[in-house]
Amino acid sequence: MPANLPPEAKAKLAKYSDARSVEEKIQALEEFISAVPKHKGTENLLLWARRRLAELREELEEKRKRRVGGGPSFFVEKSGAGQAVLIGPPNSGKSSILAALTNAKPEVADYPFTTRMPRAGMLPYEDIQFQIVDTPPLLPGSGSSVNNRVLGLARNADAIILVFSLDDPNLVETIDAVVREVEDRGIVITRRRGLARIMKSREVTGVRIEGPGRLTDATEDDVRRLLSQYRIYNAIVYIEGDVSLDDVESAVYINLVRKPALAILNKADLPGAREAAEPAVKRLGEIGIDTIVASALRGDGLGEIAPRLFRMLDIVRVYTKQPNKEPDKDPLVLHRGSTVMDVAKHIHKDLVRRFKYARVWGKSVKYPGQRVGPEHVVEDGDIVEIHVR
Ligand SMILES: Nc1nc2c(ncn2[C@@H]2O[C@H](COP(=O)(O)OP(=O)(O)OP(=O)(O)O)[C@@H](O)[C@H]2O)c(=O)[nH]1
Ligand SMILES: [Mg+2]
């Protein structure tokens, strides 16, 4: 349902999105909330605004703590070929999975809320490693500050691993609640019809619509008119799938991100687990989340996690080499679709200017050592030798 905001509320929202400091954002958001008329059409918007306000107050609190020196931080610096965050209800076995997959030694206990702070470990896969992050439990609908922080980690991660326990008597409901909690924060993990994202930028002039989607009920000019009401004049509107004008409007305030996600149904060793898994696997299949039935205790399914992560992250490994030398042992990890020029950029920025051509061995070329130009797209396992002027 459209929000039909009065101009005053739209102006406040513009003030909020232009605000730089957390304090300014809090003030603008408070003003916005009082300027929004309360009716059915604005319910979601207000829900978002109140949550965002809670998050900002939390952030301010964190900042104060850091200023007075100390207090452990929730943030986990990325390392390896990708960061995957374990998320799930209390006692589902998140810490046990981290312990089983990596060399980390988190606390595991048979009572809920054992984990209080995130903790990371490295999961080896062939010649690379993924970073796995264990988090405190998520309690859907609780609105707790821990939820906010865990979802903050999820937003920053490269992939999400949902962890559920097969001894949960309401497993399907739990899955639905956790998925909803994640998606309500603008982290899209299910298959969806459409998705719109607005990237404001001084570098573009006007509003440009990009991406593989299509507008279902509006023209590009309608989008421009809508955004100008929010004082957005220079932006890229990125669309995927079928996108309505309403979707574009909610993208003004909710910053959607899509994250690859995987679900682990844990404790497959318990009696009755097989029966419990069936409806859960079905439900996850319906919403388009890949699932592994596993046991952190016995080891079932754990070996599947790294190869699935590799596929989900959509990355390729490239081995660089110098002429007449052996290729490097450690690959460069790049997004799928990267070019030989991206490889050059990763090695040294000087190479971009001096690039002449490259020789490539591997899946992306017809014959070994083929000579290619800068726009040549690399594939997993390619060896790349860059020649400069
Ligand atoms: N039978 C069985 N028990 C498991 C398995 N994985 C974990 N557990 C047990 O489940 C309990 C909770 O495990 P944790 O790894 O602490 O769960 P958690 O999700 O990290 O819990 P919180 O930190 O409280 O959110 C512990 O008693 C574990 O030994 C499993 O695969 N099978
Ligand atoms: Mg734990």
Side-chain angles (χ1 to χ4, degrees):
M1 191 184 281
N4 283 327
L5 290 182
E8 195 204 341
K10 285 180 178 162
K12 297 291 184 199
L13 196 55
K15 185 176 159 195
Y16 157 77
S17 53
D18 290 340
R20 299 229 162 214
S21 71
V22 179
E23 287 89 341
E24 278 167 21
K25 280 190 190 153
I26 288 176
Q27 200 194 335
L29 208 50
E30 283 169 344
E31 290 172 14
F32 170 69
I33 289 171
S34 46
V36 173
K38 277 69 183 167
H39 58 73
K40 195 104 193 93
T42 56
E43 254 172 26
N44 281 336
L45 179 58
L46 282 169
L47 191 67
W48 163 81
R50 297 207 174 99
R51 269 204 195 123
R52 186 73 195 111
L53 191 58
E55 280 169 10
L56 286 166
R57 290 191 175 133
E58 185 82 30
E59 217 176 301
L60 192 63
E61 189 54 33
E62 275 256 325
K63 236 172 69 184
R64 283 203 184 113
K65 260 193 250 160
R66 244 172 307 171
R67 215 176 300 139
V68 295
S73 165
F74 224 75
F75 177 74
V76 180
E77 184 112 28
K78 285 187 183 181
S79 93
Q83 184 189 65
V85 175
L86 297 164
I87 284 185
N91 242 2
S92 53
K94 300 174 295 299
S95 302
S96 303
I97 289 170
L98 179 75
L101 292 180
T102 75
N103 49 10
K105 297 193 169 42
E107 198 183 337
V108 169
D110 62 0
Y111 49 83
F113 302 101
T114 307
T115 305
R116 300 274 172 182
M117 291 299 287
R119 185 185 287 235
M122 301 307 289
L123 165 65
Y125 172 69
E126 296 180 353
D127 53 2
I128 55 176
Q129 295 195 316
F130 301 116
Q131 184 187 43
I132 309 293
V133 180
D134 178 26
T135 65
L138 193 74
L139 272 190
S142 69
S144 75
S145 63
V146 173
N147 275 11
N148 286 341
R149 291 162 153 200
V150 168
L151 292 168
L153 282 176
R155 183 174 266 275
N156 185 51
D158 301 308
I160 292 173
I161 303 177
L162 302 170
V163 182
F164 302 101
S165 170
L166 286 164
D167 69 355
D168 181 338
N170 305 309
L171 184 53
V172 173
E173 286 82 355
T174 303
I175 290 170
D176 286 342
V178 167
V179 168
R180 201 175 322 118
E181 182 84 12
V182 173
E183 295 212 317
D184 275 357
R185 303 307 170 92
I187 305 168
V188 178
I189 54 175
T190 58
R191 205 185 300 121
R192 276 221 187 175
R193 243 177 345 110
L195 181 150
R197 213 158 37 189
I198 298 171
M199 292 166 273
K200 284 193 245 176
S201 164
R202 278 175 228 277
E203 272 147 49
V204 294
T205 320
V207 168
R208 233 166 48 207
I209 319 271
E210 286 185 1
R214 101 194 154 88
L215 293 165
T216 53
D217 60 353
T219 63
E220 299 204 356
D221 274 336
D222 293 335
V223 170
R224 285 189 188 98
R225 258 193 302 277
L226 172 77
L227 294 187
S228 74
Q229 294 174 8
Y230 288 99
R231 297 197 205 149
I232 299 171
Y233 306 108
N234 300 309
I236 291 171
V237 179
Y238 177 85
I239 55 176
E240 273 176 40
D242 288 351
V243 168
S244 68
L245 199 58
D246 263 9
D247 294 332
V248 177
E249 183 160 19
S250 41
V252 172
Y253 49 93
I254 299 187
N255 182 14
L256 289 186
V257 286
R258 193 190 285 285
K259 295 280 165 181
L262 171 71
I264 297 180
L265 301 175
N266 188 35
K267 310 198 187 181
D269 55 281
L270 291 177
R274 186 194 292 266
E275 295 70 42
E278 209 177 290
V281 170
K282 182 161 168 275
R283 181 84 190 108
L284 287 157
E286 282 162 4
I287 58 178
I289 296 180
D290 206 14
T291 306
I292 296 175
V293 176
S295 164
L297 195 72
R298 214 168 50 186
D300 320 20
L302 297 182
E304 268 293 300
I305 297 173
R308 299 258 192 128
L309 271 179
F310 183 76
R311 262 176 281 150
M312 276 160 57
L313 288 168
D314 234 2
I315 50 182
V316 294
R317 291 165 293 183
V318 172
Y319 303 80
T320 57
K321 83 182 275 298
Q322 292 180 355
N324 306 316
K325 290 205 178 133
E326 286 296 303
D328 275 358
K329 286 268 170 303
D330 291 323
L332 276 180
V333 178
L334 303 167
H335 291 293
R336 184 172 293 287
S338 294
T339 62
V340 160
M341 189 49 103
D342 294 321
V343 175
K345 267 182 218 159
H346 265 81
I347 305 173
H348 198 279
K349 61 177 188 302
D350 231 30
L351 285 185
V352 175
R353 202 171 32 85
R354 295 174 56 211
F355 184 93
K356 210 157 98 195
Y357 66 92
R359 284 194 190 285
V360 176
W361 291 257
K363 278 183 274 183
S364 75
V365 285
K366 288 197 198 73
Y367 56 89
Q370 189 178 322
R371 196 172 151 148
V372 300
E375 297 309 318
H376 178 81
V377 174
V378 292
E379 286 204 36
D380 187 48
D382 278 2
I383 297 170
V384 175
E385 179 181 277
I386 299 203
H387 291 257
V388 293
R389 10 183 147 258

